[in-house]
Amino acid sequence: MATAMSVSSASPAAAAAVARPRTLVCVPATARAPREMAAELAAAAALGADLAELRLDRLAGFAPRRDLPVILAEPRPLPALVTYRPKWEGGEYEGDEEPRFEALMLAMELGAEYVDMELKAANKFMRLLAGKKPENCKLIVSSHNYENTPSVEELADLVAQIQATGADIVKIATTATEIVDVARMFQILVHCQEKQVPIIGLVMNERGFISRVLCPKYGAFLTFGSLEKGKESSPAQPTAADLINLYNIRQIGPDTKVFGIIGKPVGHSKSPILHNEAFRSVGFNAVYVPFLVDDLAKFLNTYSTPDFAGFSCTIPHKEAAVRCCDEVDPIARDIGAVNTMVRRPDGKLVGYNTDYVGAISAIEDGIRACQLTDPTTSPLAGRLFVVIGAGGAGKALAYGAKEKGARVVIANRTFARAQELANLIGGPALTLADLENYHPEEGMILANTTAIGMHPNVNETPLSKRPDFSVKLQNVEPQLLAVWKCL
């Protein structure tokens, strides 16, 4: 399987050899009425987009000669990319081809800067066009694969087929079955950049999300961002505002370092907000993205160049990360979980655990804020500290609490896992059923480190919602009952 290694190492050299334009941000306009679609064009301009895709197949009762002059009226706030996608290529148009072709030709006459035509119909459309395409209009010939991402060789053949139609711009959209599929698209982008072939190359769904943010690094012609959440034109499409403001896409280039959070699920994480703002504030040429990863070892083997410079690691990969790192910090090895991986200049990954420091410090600060404590000792010393969960985050909190002198109890759905961790830290183990009958004591700490209660099921809890159990918890000093969620 091809990997991202050749992609990452090739892109800076390619960029040095070829002066390339900035990757454009295109906002799909998906309204059902012409005037609303024209308004979306103006809204996209206000967001800072470079152009708008007008999805004619989304219009209700679309009549080209009546509606196109409304949508394409001059002066337009943005260049227009006109798409009339048939149902057989993932769109909504179900009529004959001739009226569809005529509508796109009319869009050209009315000044559309770009028109998108599917590869399967491109040759027929080109014969009908027969040299009538205005000089200021670029033809995008597109191919969409809603099942998978083919091999690099197959993708290269597809590029050649699209070029053979006379396309000005190649567009390929595939689907990720796993995140490593995106590496193949990155390789194709680099190949086309070296050959000076304008290309739009994207991988759909959440596992392909990074293709939409990182494509400027590899020379893509444009990427798509929705006008707002709920108006996406394809699965897992980010908003244009996030592309521009959160991921700082205008600054992403061949030398941009890539960082991110590895997890499953991962879309709920606020880490990109925190880290990208930090990078921006210090002028560091880097971007931080979410990586939805199924197989950690395969992911790290694929994205293994210095450009992929470091990762945060969350549920369920923290324990596997210990085995995947070339070196592991002694504390992380003792805990048995890694939540931070740093790639050294020699390419080796070094694993650390910062969960225990962050979580324990926050709990200590919370206690100190609500009562007087001895500044020379930890306020956790001697307290009962119940950890729910025996995974990577649970191990970190149990280790940290034990180091601070707490009396640690481990509760887990699977008792064997609870017992294994409890034996390591020298405390008792409980099942979640046992926890139902557990008697809290004054000043205890309760720490939930499981996935229960995570997005999107934020109202779930590993604790019983029975009234009698709630009363037990209410009898504990509320300031000292810390329910800590390690994300």
Side-chain angles (χ1 to χ4, degrees):
M1 177 181 292
T3 73
M5 183 178 296
S6 59
V7 177
S8 297
S9 58
S11 57
V18 180
R20 68 185 195 187
R22 173 171 61 83
T23 298
L24 304 176
V25 175
C26 180
V27 171
T30 59
R32 294 295 181 181
R35 294 196 182 280
E36 291 175 7
M37 186 169 283
E40 288 184 338
L41 200 68
L47 286 174
D50 298 298
L51 69 159
E53 181 187 33
L54 308 179
R55 287 294 301 267
L56 304 184
D57 53 299
R58 297 290 185 95
L59 291 168
F62 174 55
R65 296 201 172 275
R66 180 194 67 198
D67 298 334
L68 279 175
V70 175
I71 303 169
L72 294 170
E74 296 284 2
R76 282 195 305 279
L78 285 178
L81 190 172
V82 179
T83 301
Y84 202 3
R85 190 78 70 214
K87 195 164 187 178
W88 47 262
E89 190 82 352
E92 297 186 18
Y93 178 76
E94 297 187 79
D96 295 332
E97 288 292 73
E98 286 72 15
R100 189 169 76 93
F101 291 168
E102 289 172 4
L104 292 172
M105 291 175 66
L106 177 59
M108 290 181 175
E109 293 174 18
L110 292 172
E113 287 80 3
Y114 305 90
V115 164
D116 183 315
M117 175 53 59
E118 300 74 27
L119 174 61
K120 293 177 185 177
N123 288 328
K124 186 176 180 181
F125 182 67
M126 293 297 282
R127 287 194 298 269
L128 184 64
L129 201 56
K132 298 176 184 176
K133 181 171 75 69
E135 289 186 6
N136 68 335
C137 183
K138 301 294 184 182
L139 179 63
I140 300 170
V141 174
S142 59
S143 172
H144 298 77
N145 183 329
Y146 292 97
E147 295 182 359
N148 55 42
T149 298
S151 68
V152 171
E153 293 74 22
E154 290 172 305
L155 290 172
D157 288 344
L158 188 55
V159 170
Q161 291 176 46
I162 292 175
Q163 285 186 279
T165 67
D168 297 304
I169 300 167
V170 173
K171 178 185 176 186
I172 299 175
T174 63
T175 299
T177 58
E178 52 185 338
I179 197 170
V180 297
D181 295 348
V182 182
R184 300 198 284 277
M185 186 62 77
F186 288 159
Q187 285 188 282
I188 290 301
L189 291 177
V190 171
H191 172 77
C192 286
Q193 180 193 354
E194 292 171 345
K195 301 295 184 182
Q196 299 187 50
V197 176
I199 181 171
I200 304 163
L202 298 169
V203 185
M204 296 178 283
N205 77 25
E206 193 178 355
R207 287 171 175 80
F209 177 85
I210 61 170
S211 71
R212 299 179 178 278
V213 176
L214 300 183
C215 61
K217 181 173 174 64
Y218 304 106
F221 181 76
L222 65 77
T223 187
F224 292 91
S226 66
L227 190 60
E228 59 188 56
K229 289 188 182 298
K231 291 192 174 183
E232 299 84 0
S233 62
S234 64
Q237 189 177 81
T239 64
D242 278 353
L243 286 174
I244 296 168
N245 302 320
L246 170 57
Y247 295 106
N248 204 22
I249 198 167
R250 306 282 197 218
Q251 305 305 316
I252 296 177
D255 297 324
T256 300
K257 295 293 185 182
V258 180
F259 298 84
I261 180 165
I262 297 168
K264 182 183 177 183
V266 76
H268 65 283
S269 175
K270 300 297 189 294
S271 293
I273 298 173
L274 172 68
H275 288 85
N276 284 312
E277 182 57 34
F279 294 159
R280 192 197 319 266
S281 69
V282 298
F284 183 42
N285 183 14
V287 63
Y288 188 101
V289 295
F291 296 108
L292 178 57
V293 172
D294 300 286
D295 184 324
L296 180 62
K298 195 172 184 180
F299 168 83
L300 294 172
N301 182 59
T302 300
Y303 299 97
S304 59
T305 63
D307 277 5
F308 288 82
F311 310 100
S312 309
C313 190
T314 188
I315 293 173
H317 299 302
K318 294 183 181 187
E319 294 169 279
V322 176
R323 300 186 295 274
C324 291
C325 289
D326 298 295
E327 296 180 15
V328 179
D329 178 77
I331 291 177
R333 189 169 295 284
D334 287 346
I335 293 172
V338 159
N339 77 320
T340 302
M341 290 179 277
V342 177
R343 196 180 302 283
R344 294 192 318 212
D346 62 5
K348 290 187 176 181
L349 273 180
V350 183
Y352 302 89
N353 192 301
T354 63
D355 276 339
Y356 81 100
V357 176
I360 295 300
S361 296
I363 295 172
E364 286 180 320
D365 290 346
I367 295 173
R368 291 188 177 110
C370 66
Q371 69 174 58
L372 292 175
T373 60
D374 182 351
T376 64
T377 61
S378 170
L380 296 182
R383 290 186 187 273
L384 181 62
F385 197 110
V386 179
V387 178
I388 304 177
K395 288 180 176 180
L397 260 75
Y399 176 93
K402 184 69 175 180
E403 286 290 297
K404 297 294 186 176
R407 295 174 291 124
V408 182
V409 175
I410 307 299
N412 193 62
R413 180 175 295 167
T414 305
F415 182 70
R417 291 266 289 171
Q419 196 167 41
E420 181 182 358
L421 177 54
N423 289 340
L424 287 175
I425 54 95
L430 304 171
T431 66
L432 291 186
D434 293 332
L435 196 59
E436 294 280 338
N437 299 312
Y438 197 72
H439 295 284
E441 67 178 53
E442 184 175 313
M444 71 169 281
I445 307 296
L446 183 65
N448 175 26
T449 70
T450 73
I452 301 171
M454 286 179 63
H455 179 84
N457 302 312
V458 294
N459 292 321
E460 292 185 4
T461 171
L463 300 177
S464 172
K465 294 184 179 180
R466 296 196 330 262
D468 61 323
F469 191 73
S470 298
V471 169
K472 292 178 186 177
L473 295 181
Q474 288 167 7
N475 289 333
V476 181
E477 291 181 44
Q479 299 94 333
L480 305 183
L481 179 61
V483 181
W484 181 263
K485 190 72 188 134
C486 290
L487 302 181

